[in-house]
Amino acid sequence: MRSAHRRPGVTEVQRLIMEGGRRLHGQVRISGSKNAVLPILAATLLTDEECVIRNVPRLRDVAVMTSILRRLGAEVHAEAEEGEQVLRVCARRLRTHEVPETLVRRMRSSIFLMGPLLGREGRVRLSYPGGCAIGPRPINLHLKALSDLGAVIEERNGYLEARAPVLAGATVHLDQSSVGATENAMMAAVLARGMTAIYNAAREPEIADLQGFLNAMGARVSGAGTDVIRVEGVGRLRGADYRVIPDRIEAGTYLVAAAITGGHLVLLDAEPSHLESPIAKLREAGAVVTARGREIHVQGPDRPRAVDIKTVPYPGFPTDLQSPFMALLSLAEGTSIITESIFENRFKVAGELRRMGAQIAIDGRVAVIRGVHRLSGAVVEAMDDLRGGAALVLAGLAAEGRTVVEGVRHIERGYQDLDRKLLEVGARIRRTLNGAVLTRRTAILPAPPPPIGS
Ligand code: EPZ
C-alpha cells in the first residue's frame, strides 16, 4: 500500500476502495452546482438583508465559503429541507473587509469575493490566491475588470489591497473568456454608478445563475449566456430566496460512470441543456443518451469507441469533464486525442491511470489515449484536481480487482456523497477513514463548517 501523502498535522487518511467490474444500474439525484453556488454565496455580501439559498450541495468548498462569510461578519445558518441543504445568509454588517489567508489558500475561488466586498464596503484585502494542480491560475483579468470599474489595487508582499471609494460603470473588455473574472465584474458592477458592459464575457450556465440571483436581489443584469453582459447600477440590493441550478459537471461524471461500466443510469434533477456537448461525445462513443425533462437516461456501450475531444469555453466541451472522459477513453476501441485548451496542466491524472494499465502519451496540451481491453485495480492518488480524482474513481469502477483512491478530500470539494450515490446504483465501493468504513446508504448530513479560526 502506497504511503498516503499526509499534510503536516493531518491525521485522517480517507480512502475510496472499489472492486471493479459491476455494471451500474439505477437512479442518481444530481446535487446543486458547486460552481454556481460559490459566486452566489459571495454575492450575498451585497445586501444587508437575509438571503435564502436552496439546493446548496454539501461540499468542502461550500463549507470553506461559509467560513469566509462568517469570518467577514455574516450570519450563516444551514438547514435541511426535503434532503436538500438550505443556507440562510445575512450580512447585516461586516466586521472586516479582509479575507483570511488560511481560507483563501484552501479555495482559490475566494478571488471572487473582491467584487462584492468592493461593492459593499469599497475595499477588500486578501492574500494572493495561488495556483493549483491544473495551472498557475492567474487573476490578471479579474484585476483589470475591477480596475476598469474604478478600483485601485495594490499588490504588497503577497497581499492584494483594493479600494474603490466609488465604483463607476464602465466598458470592460476581457482578453479571454474567464468564468471568475466575468462573475467578479458582474458583482462589482451591480452597485456601481451607471452602466457597465462586459465584453467577451464567459457564457457558462453558472453565469446565468448568478445573473438570476443578482436580479432577484433587485439588480439589473442582462446578457448572461451571451458574450456581452450589461449591468445598470442600482442604489441598493435586497435579500432574495433563490434555488441553485443542478451541477452539470457532477451530472456529466455520472453519465461517464454509466458509459465506463456499460450500465444504465437515470439522472434526476439534472439540466440536459447544460450538457449538450458531453452528451454528443458520449453518443459518438456509443452510449445511448435520452433527455426527458429534468431526467437524463444513459445506457453505456459494452465497449466505448474512441473519440477526439477539445476542451473549449461553454457551450463547447467543458474542461471539468476532460479527466472523466480520459478514464472512459482509456478503455475505448481505438485511439483518442484530447486537447486541453483551457488549463496549462490538466493531464496529471494520466500518470495514475497509467498505473492501472492505461496507454496515454502526453505532449503539452495534447493527450493521445490508445484504448486497452482492461484496466487493473491499483492504489492511486487524487491530486489537487477534484476532477482527476473523480476520473480515478470511474476507472476503479471498470478496472479488474481492487482500486484504492487516496486524497479523497480533494474529491469531496466537488462531489457530494460520491460513494453513497455510487453504492446505491450497484458499485462495490466504500469510503474509509483510518481504516473504518464510513459509507452508508443514508444521506450524510453536512459536515459542520470548520470552526472560525481554522
Ligand atoms: C471556473 O474556474 C471553474 N471554477 C472551474 O472549475 C472551471 O474549470 C473553469 O471556470 C472553466 O473555465 C469555479 O467556477 C469555482 P477561468 P475559473 O477564469 O473561473 C485563465 C472545477 O473543477 N485566466 O474561466 O478560475 C485561466 O488560467 C473548477 O470545478 C487568466 O489567464 O476559470 C484559465 O486558463 C476547476 N487570467 C482560463 O483563463 C485570469 O484572470 C479559464 O479560467 C483568469 C483566468
Side-chain angles (χ1 to χ4, degrees):
M1 182 79 74
R2 286 170 88 203
S3 65
H5 302 291
R6 295 190 190 182
R7 288 183 298 162
V10 173
T11 51
E12 67 172 31
V13 177
Q14 280 204 62
R15 292 188 176 95
L16 287 172
I17 301 170
M18 283 151 279
E19 307 294 338
R22 300 281 285 275
R23 292 175 186 265
L24 302 187
H25 192 276
Q27 296 184 334
V28 178
R29 188 169 298 283
I30 300 305
S31 303
S33 163
K34 166 177 89 77
N35 292 348
V37 77
L38 291 175
I40 284 173
L41 287 173
T44 62
L45 295 171
L46 287 161
T47 178
D48 59 4
E49 296 182 6
E50 181 180 74
C51 293
V52 180
I53 315 298
R54 302 179 189 280
N55 196 28
V56 177
R58 297 184 180 105
L59 302 168
R60 275 182 188 268
D61 275 5
V62 172
V64 173
M65 180 58 86
T66 300
S67 297
I68 291 172
L69 294 177
R70 286 182 170 140
R71 178 71 76 82
L72 293 169
E75 285 181 33
V76 185
H77 298 290
E79 299 168 359
E81 214 167 74
E82 293 161 23
E84 289 180 359
Q85 182 173 218
V86 176
L87 290 184
R88 292 179 177 279
V89 186
C90 188
R92 194 175 312 288
R93 70 186 68 73
L94 297 184
R95 78 161 74 95
T96 175
H97 63 280
E98 179 165 348
V99 186
E101 182 191 355
T102 49
L103 294 172
V104 173
R105 220 162 348 102
R106 286 176 62 183
M107 189 180 66
R108 62 171 310 285
S109 315
S110 320
I111 182 73
F112 49 51
L113 284 154
M114 290 187 79
L117 282 170
L118 285 171
R120 174 74 185 270
E121 294 282 290
R123 55 185 184 160
V124 55
R125 186 172 191 267
L126 78 163
S127 62
Y128 215 93
C132 65
I134 60 182
R137 306 295 289 275
I139 58 170
N140 57 310
L141 301 175
H142 294 252
L143 303 184
K144 178 180 178 301
L146 297 174
S147 304
D148 290 347
L149 289 159
V152 177
I153 303 172
E154 291 176 287
E155 299 169 44
R156 203 172 324 146
N157 47 9
Y159 270 83
L160 289 168
E161 298 254 4
R163 289 179 178 280
V166 174
L167 283 169
T171 296
V172 176
H173 287 277
L174 294 175
D175 298 346
Q176 71 176 84
S177 170
S178 161
V179 171
T182 303
E183 291 164 341
N184 236 337
M186 288 165 71
M187 293 189 280
V190 288
L191 293 174
R193 286 200 194 131
M195 294 296 291
T196 293
I198 304 167
Y199 290 98
N200 203 14
R203 299 167 54 192
E204 273 70 1
E206 293 76 28
I207 306 276
D209 216 25
L210 176 61
Q211 172 177 285
F213 177 61
L214 292 170
N215 287 344
M217 296 170 84
R220 293 189 192 135
V221 187
S222 60
T226 73
D227 59 358
V228 181
I229 290 178
R230 297 186 190 285
V231 182
E232 181 185 346
V234 293
R236 70 185 303 275
L237 294 175
R238 56 181 182 268
D241 186 321
Y242 195 79
R243 181 180 167 81
V244 170
I245 54 172
D247 193 312
R248 61 192 170 99
I249 305 302
E250 184 199 24
T253 305
Y254 285 106
L255 291 178
V256 174
I260 202 170
T261 60
H264 182 276
L265 291 180
V266 177
L267 275 50
L268 305 175
D269 279 353
E271 182 44 74
S273 66
H274 293 164
L275 283 151
E276 289 182 2
S277 174
I279 287 173
K281 277 299 165 188
L282 282 171
R283 286 175 176 148
E284 207 182 313
V288 177
V289 187
T290 47
R292 293 183 195 149
R294 291 171 58 80
E295 290 184 3
I296 307 177
H297 296 239
V298 51
Q299 171 61 55
D302 285 339
R303 187 179 184 197
R305 292 193 292 266
V307 295
D308 293 340
I309 288 171
K310 179 175 183 185
T311 67
V312 289
Y314 191 89
F317 191 95
T319 173
D320 294 346
L321 285 176
Q322 181 257 104
S323 294
F325 268 72
M326 181 181 278
L328 173 68
L329 297 174
S330 297
L331 285 166
E333 187 176 352
T335 298
S336 307
I337 295 178
I338 295 182
T339 307
E340 170 58 60
S341 78
I342 305 290
F343 288 110
E344 296 78 2
N345 178 24
R346 204 168 198 182
F347 287 141
K348 272 198 168 163
V349 72
E352 297 299 287
L353 289 171
R354 280 195 207 100
R355 301 185 59 248
M356 299 175 73
Q359 302 282 316
I360 305 171
I362 305 293
D363 177 9
R365 289 192 179 221
V366 176
V368 179
I369 303 130
R370 194 160 58 81
V372 295
H373 284 278
R374 65 185 60 78
L375 293 174
S376 307
V379 177
V380 288
E381 172 102 34
M383 315 288 183
D384 177 15
D385 176 8
L386 65 139
R387 309 305 175 184
L392 293 172
V393 172
L394 296 173
L397 294 176
E400 284 186 348
R402 168 170 295 189
T403 297
V404 178
V405 178
E406 299 183 335
V408 177
R409 68 185 182 287
H410 297 301
I411 301 174
E412 288 178 328
R413 291 188 47 206
Y415 290 93
Q416 175 181 323
D417 299 340
L418 179 65
D419 48 325
R420 180 180 62 80
K421 292 186 180 184
L422 287 172
L423 188 73
E424 289 183 348
V425 290
R428 282 175 294 192
I429 183 171
R430 62 187 189 283
R431 183 157 66 106
T432 64
L433 173 61
N434 299 338
V437 176
L438 293 180
T439 303
R440 47 185 181 282
R441 287 183 177 277
T442 52
I444 297 167
L445 291 178
I452 286 194
S454 64

